[in-house]
Amino acid sequence: MMRTRPLKVALLGCGVVGSEVARIMTTHADDLAARIGAPVELAGVAVRRPSKVREGIDPALITTDATALVKRGDIDVVIEVIGGIEPARTLITTAFEHGASVVSANKALLAEDGAALHAAAEQHGRDLYYEAAVAGAIPLVRPLRESLAGDKVNRVLGIVNGTTNFILDKMDTSGAGYSEALDEATALGYAEADPTADVEGFDAAAKAAILAGIAFHTRVRIGDVHREGITEVTAADIASARRMGCTVKLLAICERAADGQSVTARVHPAMIPLSHPLASVREAYNAVFVEAEAAGQLMFYGPGAGGSPTASAVLGDLVAVCRNKLNGATGPGESAYTRLPVSPMGDVVTRYHISLDVADKPGVLAQVATVFAEKGVSIDTVRQQGRNPGSGDEVAVEQGGGGRRVGGEASLVVVTHRASDAALSATVEALRKLDTVRGVASIMRVEGE
């Protein structure tokens, strides 16, 4: 039988996501009540600009005093979609103290202070759910936290930022440069006026921290995540990837070490083979590839941002939290029993694609190969491109060749076998010191094989 007293919900924030949450709560009220076993009632909406017209929301529910709203004592669930660290952190802990569970979409806060928030929720016997914090509508947090709880996850590899994926996809498919692709993303609403959080990898790094913590049952903060953005990716990088049968994606990669004694988390652009499932993820879509010991390889795909997709994830959590409330229970909290250390980026084993501008004369290839050998990095392939003035001639030299003089400018593209990132970085620094190397044009890791 359905309980007649409604569960009261406070909404913190009424922007793109919050307004969509409020709309669905109103238009789908009967369905939500049937799924939960009790009606849900929007009891208050905290905003910064009360004068703004918000269609479909009773003006009497609007307040600028978010603290008073979460302290009311009759609120069952607080939905936090304001973002940022403060006042979100204080409001969430205050909600726990006054009897409410919390549904949040705040990736930055969870990546920075998730452990403290989980501790506060546990102390007060409340729920903390945050499916919407990672990859929008894609069910990812709950499968990692619950469906794969009995398995051992070894790797999580994914595209978790739609803005950067749109930009890189346009660079690949249209031949556009970075700035041109960013302008198109901005015009279409995929990029913010200030796109720094997206293009510099901060957004993806926060999501990587959350995913690594859940997948490996350990505490990973955003400061533990190695981060590189896409602002240095050039059309030449995209073209070089294409020649290798690859494409370029901004990847969030979380891995358990081979010995199982540590984990790593990193975000950076990388070349991946066109045969990899993530290579086909286009435009602003997200996808995450999970490798588990028993389940094998799993892929989660869908829209990773936007009002409706994110609201879908928020409301899924709302249904789960409300059911728990009716049953006098709480859902799974933080699982950080392994307490594994997070290894530095230098310990990561990967491959490199390095493009060098070199003097066009005999012996250059031998000098470059010697540096790789001295640093203990094995070369997979070498491609030498030269251009005679006015001819456009190009040559390719496979590994072991002595190089060919072609006159004019020349570039050398080296793809390595797997080696530690520290050894690869040391190799690049040594290459910069060679008189015959005029510059290191680009450096990119190769993943997904």
Side-chain angles (χ1 to χ4, degrees), residues 179-264:
S179 296
E180 184 182 352
L182 173 59
D183 288 344
E184 184 175 353
T186 303
L188 292 172
Y190 292 127
E192 301 287 345
D194 179 3
T196 302
D198 293 322
V199 300
E200 294 292 356
F202 290 100
D203 175 85
K207 295 169 181 175
I210 295 170
L211 291 176
I214 298 171
F216 307 133
H217 306 283
T218 198
R219 287 178 179 169
V220 180
R221 300 179 65 184
I222 190 169
D224 298 320
V225 181
H226 175 85
R227 175 191 56 79
E228 298 173 27
I230 66 166
T231 56
E232 301 300 319
V233 177
T234 66
D237 293 326
I238 302 292
S240 191
R242 194 179 299 115
R243 281 193 293 269
M244 290 175 56
C246 293
T247 189
V248 177
K249 299 291 186 182
L250 182 73
L251 298 179
I253 306 172
C254 312
E255 294 177 302
R256 189 190 301 269
D259 62 5
Q261 299 305 303
S262 64
V263 300
T264 58

Side-chain angles (χ1 to χ4, degrees), residues 48-82:
R48 287 183 295 178
R49 298 193 301 274
S51 60
K52 180 179 177 181
V53 176
R54 293 173 172 86
E55 187 177 347
I57 298 178
D58 184 350
L61 297 177
I62 302 296
T63 178
T64 58
D65 194 343
T67 301
L69 179 59
V70 299
K71 281 184 172 180
R72 274 178 36 172
D74 64 337
I75 300 296
D76 295 291
V77 183
V78 169
I79 297 175
E80 183 271 308
V81 288
I82 57 178

Side-chain angles (χ1 to χ4, degrees), residues 5 13 34 39-40 86 101 103 113 118 131 161 173 180 255 268 304 323 327 329 335 341 348 355 357 368 371 426 433:
R5 185 181 76 79
V40 288
E86 288 292 356
S101 291
V103 173
D113 213 17
H118 275 292
E131 184 67 65
N161 183 272
T173 57
E180 184 182 352
E255 294 177 302
H268 54 73
R323 286 172 175 170
N327 293 326
S335 176
V348 170
S355 180
D357 293 329
V368 169
V371 170
K433 296 175 182 178

